[in-house]
Amino acid sequence: MRRIFIIASVACLNVLLLAAQPQKSQPAASAIDKKVDALIAKMTLEEKVGQMTEVTSDVVSTTTNDVHQIDAAKIKEAILKYHVGSILNVSGHAYDRKHWFEVISAIQQEAAQDRLKIPVIYGIDAIHGVTYTTGSTLFPQEIAMAATFNKEIAYKAGEITAYETRASYIPWNYSPVLDLGKSPLWPRIYETFGEDPYLIKTMGASIIKGYQGNDVGDKYHVAACMKHYLGYGDPLSGKDRTPAWIPDRYMREYFLPPFAEAVKAGARTLMINSGEINGVPLHASKYMLTDVLRGELHFDGIAVTDWRDIEYLHDRHHIAATQKDAVMIAVNAGVDMSMVPYEYSFYNYLIELVHEGKVSMARINEAVHRILKVKYELGLFERPVGNPDDYPKFGSDEFKQVSVQAATEAITLLKNNNNILPLKKGMKVFVTGPTANTMRALDGGWSYTWQGDQSDKFAANKNTILEAIQQKTGKDNVSYEPGAAFDSLQNINDAVKAAKKADVIVLCLGELSYTENVGNIDDLNLPWAQTQLAMELAKTGKPVILVLAEGRPRIVTQAESLSAATVMTYLSGNEGGDALASILFGDANPSGKLPFTYPKYANSLNNYYRKNLENGNPDDKHGYNPLYEFGFGLSYTTFGYSNLHLSKPDLKENETLTVTVDVKNTGQVEGKESVLLYTSQSYASISPDYKRLRAYDKVSLKPGETKTVTFKIIAKDLAFVNDVSKTVTEAGEFKIQVGDQTQNFNYISNTVPSRTGKL
C-alpha cells in the first residue's frame, strides 16, 4: 500500500513533463544574507519550523461582544512554545489605527521574549486599499483599475495602500492578484486585472512597485505578495478552488507572464494556487514550485500556502494518505510557509519528518532563509511596530482624490444612443435597482470584512449611487424606489409610477458583495427579477440609463437591449458613487475601457485573443459574438487616429521597431483616450492568436488637439509558446493595429524559419 502511494505521488508530481532549465549561478551573499545565515546557525530545528508556520489571528485572540484583543496565554503559546513566525488577519472586521497598534504591539512584544527575539510578520489582504482599517482610502477593485489602462494610477494606488498599511503597523500585503481573469463565472474575477496577460503583467508590476518602493524596508512600504501561483483563475467549472485543465503551453503563454514580470518587478512573496491543474495540486507540484518558479523565474522570496491547502492534499485532493505525508509532499515541493491556520499540526509533523530523514535540513534552512531575509528587508528587526506619528496623510483628502481619479477613469461608457448622456442638471431623475443605494455594490468583497457585507456601516460617510446623484443634481430632482432586490421584485408598481413622473430613469443592476466560494454561482445570467424590473420600466417610454455595478460580467443582454445608455462601474470603491454622478452629469468625461470580453450569452464565453478560432465555419453565427469586446469604451468626445508609421518595413533580431500614431480629439469636450496597440501574426507553427495587446498608453486631449503616441516593439514582444513549450519568435508577416489604423511588417529571424514562405 505504501509503495503504491509513493508511486502515485511521484506520478502526480510529474504530470507536467518538462525538464527544468538549469539554475543560474548564485550571486554573492549580501549583507542581509550573511545576517540571516548567522541567525540560522543559532536556531534549533523547532525554531526554524516555527518560522515556517503561519496561524490566523483567531488562534491568538479572543473576541467577546465584538471586543477583540490579543489573548495573553494564546500568544505566549504561539510564540514561546511553537516559535510561530507569521500571523495572518482573517475574521472580524475593520479596526481603527489605535487598535491595530495595540494588536501588533502585543504580538511583537511577545516575540521579543523568545530566545532569539525574531519578530513576527503579520499579513493582511489590503487588496484595494487597507480594507481592514477604518478611515482608510479604498480604491476601485483590480478589475476596475485595469479598466483605466493607466499604469500611473496603479502605481499611486499601490503607494498609498502601502503607506496606510504601514500606518496600521502591518508590513505584508497579500496583493496583487495576478491571475488571468479568463472565466466570467469565477467569483474572484473582480480581484484580477482582467483577461489579457499583457495588461495584467504591466498593471501588476506597477502596483507592486507602488507597494514596495525603492526600499521595501522603509516605513512607508510593504512586501507585496503575488497570487495565486498559478492557473487559479480558470477553473473548468468556473467555481472557486475547483480543478483546472491547462496544457503547459497555455500555462506558459497566458498564465505565467504576469508572475514572471512580478518577479522582475521585485515582488518579495508569493501565494500558491489552492486548486489543481491537470490533476496535480499546485501545493504538491515540485515542477511548478521549484523547477519553474525558482529555476526559470529565479524567484528568491517566500512561497506561502493559501488557506489550509497542505491539509487539503489529504482531505480534498487525496494525493497524501495522511496529513503527515501532505506536509512532506508540500515542503519537498517547495512550500516555505504554511498558512495552517488554526493549530500546530504542521509544526509537529515537520519536526518528525526532519528527524525521520524525509525532509532534509537543507530544505528547512532554504525556506527559513527566505522568510528571515524578507523580515530583515522589511526592517522588522529594527522597527517591529512603527511610530503612530509618522503617518499624517492617513485617510487624507490627497489620497482620496487619487481614488476619485481611479474610479472616474475606470467607469466605462458602453452605449450612448443619441448622446443622451451627459444628463442635464435639474432634470427629474428616477433612481432604482438593487445596487442603487448600497455601498456593497461599489466596494465588493474584502471591504471592512471578508465578504464586504458591512460596507454600509463602515462607509456610511460615503455616497451610494443614489446619494451621489442626489448631491449632484439636488434631492428635489431625484426620486427613488428599490424596484427589486438582487433576486426578487420589490415594490415594482411604486417604481413604475415614480418612473412615469421622471425625465430619465437610472437603473442600477448587478451584484452585491462576495468573494471566494461564497460568490460561486450556477448561472451567469442576471437574476430574472432584475431583468423584469428593466422590462417594466422600459414600458414607461422614459429613457433608461443602465448602470452595471458588478464584479464579473453577468449576462444582461435582454435588459441592456432596452437601455438608451449603458455604463459599467465595476466595483469602483468608496468614491465610485461620486465618480459615476460626475460622469452622468458631464462634470467628468468617461475614459474606461473593458478589461475583459463582455459575453452576450451564458454559454458563449470567449476571450478576444482566440476570436478567429471561435468561429470555425465562416457561416457559423454561434461563434465569437460578444455583447462588447475587450478594450471597448466610449467617450463624450470622439477621437481620430491617423499617420500610423513604422520606423522600418522589416524587424530583425536585436533591433527595435518604433511605432508612432497621431491621436486627435475630434469632438467638443476634453477627454482621455487609452491607445491600445495590438499585433497579429499571419502564420505560425501553431494557430496564432487573432490579435494580442502588446502596448498601451493613455493621453489627455483638448478639443482639436493632436498628440503623437510612440511605442517600441522588439522581437520578444512578438513571441509565443510553441508546441514543445518553448518561447519563440518565428519569422514571418505581422500586422500592427492601433485604433482603426493598420500596418504590416516582416520579422526576420536568423534561427527560426518563416511560416509564410515569403522570407
Side-chain angles (χ1 to χ4, degrees):
M1 176 67 183
R2 180 71 175 168
R3 183 171 179 272
I4 292 172
F5 166 71
I6 292 173
I7 292 172
S9 296
V10 171
C12 283
L13 299 179
N14 289 280
V15 169
L16 301 174
L17 298 175
L18 283 176
Q21 295 180 3
Q23 294 194 20
K24 292 181 178 179
S25 57
Q26 294 297 314
S30 66
I32 287 181
D33 287 315
K34 292 176 182 178
K35 286 182 180 180
V36 171
D37 288 338
L39 182 54
I40 288 176
K42 301 175 184 178
M43 297 174 73
T44 64
L45 172 61
E46 289 75 14
E47 288 167 331
K48 293 175 182 177
V49 172
Q51 288 299 305
M52 298 172 67
T53 303
E54 182 178 53
V55 296
T56 169
S57 54
D58 291 343
V59 171
V60 298
S61 303
T62 57
T63 301
T64 305
N65 297 326
D66 207 34
V67 176
H68 167 267
Q69 62 183 5
I70 296 296
D71 184 285
K74 292 179 179 179
I75 191 66
K76 184 181 294 292
E77 178 185 46
I79 302 295
L80 301 187
K81 181 177 180 180
Y82 294 104
H83 315 287
V84 164
S86 179
I87 295 173
L88 76 147
N89 191 76
V90 180
S91 64
H93 52 70
Y95 302 109
D96 61 21
R97 288 185 60 214
K98 179 177 181 295
H99 184 75
W100 276 119
F101 182 78
E102 294 168 354
V103 167
I104 303 301
S105 294
I107 292 170
Q108 301 295 18
Q109 286 167 10
E110 196 63 45
Q113 302 304 310
D114 204 9
R115 186 177 74 94
L116 295 174
K117 306 182 187 307
I118 300 173
V120 167
I121 182 170
Y122 197 99
I124 199 163
D125 292 275
I127 68 167
H128 67 122
V130 191
T131 53
Y132 286 95
T133 304
T134 57
S136 67
T137 307
L138 284 198
F139 292 92
Q141 297 276 3
E142 276 191 19
I143 196 67
M145 296 295 289
T148 71
F149 281 84
N150 188 333
K151 295 184 285 289
E152 181 61 27
I153 286 183
Y155 175 84
K156 288 180 180 178
E159 193 173 43
I160 291 168
T161 298
Y163 180 104
E164 295 193 343
T165 303
R166 280 283 196 168
S168 307
Y169 318 103
I170 298 169
W172 190 13
N173 184 9
Y174 300 136
S175 178
V177 171
L178 299 179
D179 299 307
L180 194 73
K182 192 170 182 293
S183 172
L185 272 171
W186 188 49
R188 304 192 73 171
I189 194 171
Y190 72 84
E191 298 179 52
T192 78
F193 287 114
E195 75 178 39
D196 183 83
Y198 183 81
L199 180 59
I200 298 167
K201 80 176 188 179
T202 49
M203 293 293 283
S206 294
I207 203 167
I208 286 168
K209 291 172 183 175
Y211 286 153
Q212 297 193 162
N214 295 322
D215 179 8
V216 73
D218 71 29
K219 59 188 176 183
Y220 300 126
H221 293 92
V222 297
C225 184
M226 48 181 170
K227 62 186 191 184
H228 306 80
Y229 180 87
L230 185 70
Y232 183 42
D234 193 26
L236 193 65
S237 70
K239 307 295 176 62
D240 188 46
R241 288 173 166 85
T242 57
W245 296 355
I246 307 173
D248 191 74
R249 190 191 82 74
Y250 270 51
M251 185 74 75
R252 291 172 176 275
E253 178 72 37
Y254 304 108
F255 296 83
L256 190 60
F259 290 91
E261 193 72 16
V263 172
K264 292 178 185 177
R268 298 305 302 128
T269 72
L270 170 146
M271 188 178 293
I272 303 164
N273 171 11
S274 293
E276 62 180 51
I277 298 173
N278 308 329
V280 182
L282 269 292
H283 284 78
S285 176
K286 186 175 184 294
Y287 170 72
M288 294 305 304
L289 296 183
T290 298
D291 298 344
V292 176
L293 180 63
R294 308 295 182 177
E296 296 183 29
L297 302 190
H298 308 295
F299 176 64
D300 66 351
I302 302 168
V304 61
T305 77
D306 207 335
W307 187 260
R308 294 183 63 191
D309 281 331
I310 292 180
E311 294 179 31
Y312 289 143
L313 296 181
H314 168 73
D315 295 348
R316 183 165 63 199
H317 301 289
H318 295 272
I319 72 153
T322 66
Q323 288 292 352
K324 186 174 176 180
D325 285 335
V327 172
M328 176 187 69
I329 291 169
V331 173
N332 285 336
V335 169
D336 297 320
M337 182 184 288
S338 174
M339 190 183 290
V340 183
Y342 285 126
E343 33 70 49
Y344 302 101
S345 59
F346 170 83
Y347 173 94
N348 293 321
Y349 288 141
L350 188 50
I351 290 172
E352 291 175 13
L353 288 164
V354 174
H355 286 312
E356 293 166 6
K358 295 177 181 177
V359 175
S360 71
M361 185 60 77
R363 173 77 268 271
I364 299 297
N365 288 341
E366 178 183 59
V368 175
H369 186 102
R370 293 166 181 159
I371 294 165
L372 294 178
K373 184 173 182 178
V374 169
K375 290 185 177 185
Y376 271 111
E377 289 172 339
L378 286 168
L380 293 181
F381 284 86
E382 296 79 24
R383 192 180 63 256
V385 180
N387 182 354
D389 297 328
D390 285 342
Y391 304 96
K393 293 185 179 181
F394 179 90
S396 64
D397 187 65
E398 175 188 339
F399 288 176
K400 170 188 169 182
Q401 292 309 312
V402 178
S403 182
V404 171
Q405 181 190 358
T408 303
E409 292 199 25
I411 292 170
T412 305
L413 179 62
L414 297 175
K415 182 199 291 185
N416 193 18
N417 292 347
N418 300 317
N419 294 319
I420 189 170
L421 293 179
L423 302 175
K424 295 179 181 178
K425 292 174 185 174
M427 294 178 70
K428 297 299 181 182
V429 180
F430 173 58
V431 181
T432 187
T435 61
N437 196 30
T438 174
M439 291 303 298
R440 291 182 63 183
L442 293 173
D443 285 339
W446 300 110
S447 302
Y448 305 108
T449 63
W450 174 44
Q451 292 297 316
D453 52 358
Q454 295 186 39
S455 288
D456 288 317
K457 169 186 173 183
F458 285 100
N461 63 330
K462 300 296 181 179
N463 286 326
T464 65
I465 294 172
L466 169 64
E467 291 165 343
I469 291 174
Q470 289 173 331
Q471 191 174 88
K472 180 65 65 174
T473 192
K475 282 189 176 183
D476 292 343
N477 295 315
V478 181
S479 57
Y480 167 72
E481 290 288 345
F486 174 66
D487 56 3
S488 61
L489 293 174
Q490 195 173 86
N491 301 328
I492 191 167
N493 291 333
D494 293 338
V496 170
K497 288 178 183 178
K500 290 178 179 178
K501 299 175 183 178
D503 298 316
V504 66
I505 301 166
V506 176
L507 173 60
C508 303
L509 304 182
E511 301 182 309
L512 299 182
S513 60
Y514 57 84
T515 192
E516 299 187 269
N517 65 297
V518 178
N520 284 343
I521 54 176
D522 295 315
D523 187 355
L524 194 57
N525 284 288
L526 196 69
W528 179 240
Q530 297 191 49
T531 301
Q532 282 183 290
L533 176 60
M535 293 168 64
E536 292 302 314
L537 292 173
K539 291 176 183 177
T540 66
K542 299 301 176 72
V544 175
I545 311 301
L546 176 60
V547 174
L548 298 174
E550 52 188 7
R552 55 192 155 197
R554 301 297 292 263
I555 305 301
V556 296
T557 304
Q558 187 169 357
E560 206 272 344
S561 69
L562 303 172
S563 72
T566 301
V567 183
M568 180 73 170
T569 71
Y570 312 94
L571 300 173
S572 46
N574 270 351
E575 313 306 327
D578 289 339
L580 175 64
S582 292
I583 285 173
L584 292 179
F585 289 93
D587 291 333
N589 192 352
S591 64
K593 292 184 182 290
L594 285 176
F596 49 66
T597 304
Y598 204 115
K600 185 179 290 186
Y601 306 111
N603 292 343
S604 182
L605 308 178
N606 316 107
N607 301 110
Y608 84 90
Y609 34 82
R610 302 302 282 172
K611 171 181 177 179
N612 53 327
L613 299 176
E614 296 291 347
N615 286 317
N617 188 321
D619 298 325
D620 185 2
K621 298 179 181 179
H622 300 286
Y624 180 82
N625 184 29
L627 189 64
Y628 292 104
E629 292 202 75
F630 173 91
F632 181 79
L634 301 173
S635 169
Y636 292 153
T637 189
T638 53
F639 298 97
Y641 288 76
S642 62
N643 300 324
L644 177 63
H645 177 73
L646 311 186
S647 60
K648 58 186 72 176
D650 299 325
L651 175 65
K652 299 178 181 178
E653 291 183 38
N654 303 316
E655 291 184 344
T656 299
L657 181 69
T658 301
V659 181
T660 58
V661 66
D662 290 343
V663 184
K664 181 179 181 179
N665 184 338
T666 55
Q668 304 300 314
V669 181
E670 183 174 358
K672 295 179 180 179
E673 171 74 342
S674 292
V675 183
L676 312 183
L677 183 150
Y678 299 94
T679 68
S680 55
Q681 187 168 5
S682 298
Y683 301 94
S685 58
I686 62 167
S687 298
D689 284 334
Y690 172 71
K691 64 179 181 180
R692 288 288 294 277
L693 183 68
R694 303 299 189 188
Y696 60 90
D697 195 7
K698 196 162 193 175
V699 294
S700 180
L701 295 166
K702 295 177 181 178
E705 184 180 11
T706 299
K707 287 184 179 178
T708 299
V709 180
T710 302
F711 301 106
K712 303 285 186 180
I713 298 293
I714 60 176
K716 185 174 67 173
D717 297 326
L718 307 174
F720 64 89
V721 179
N722 67 13
D723 59 345
V724 291
S725 292
K726 299 297 182 184
T727 301
V728 297
T729 305
E730 291 182 347
E733 185 179 62
F734 288 80
K735 180 172 72 175
I736 295 275
Q737 177 183 343
V738 186
D740 59 358
Q741 303 284 294
T742 62
Q743 285 277 4
N744 290 353
F745 70 96
N746 293 316
Y747 172 69
I748 301 174
S749 171
N750 297 326
T751 56
V752 183
S754 167
R755 293 281 163 172
T756 66
K758 294 182 179 180
L759 300 177

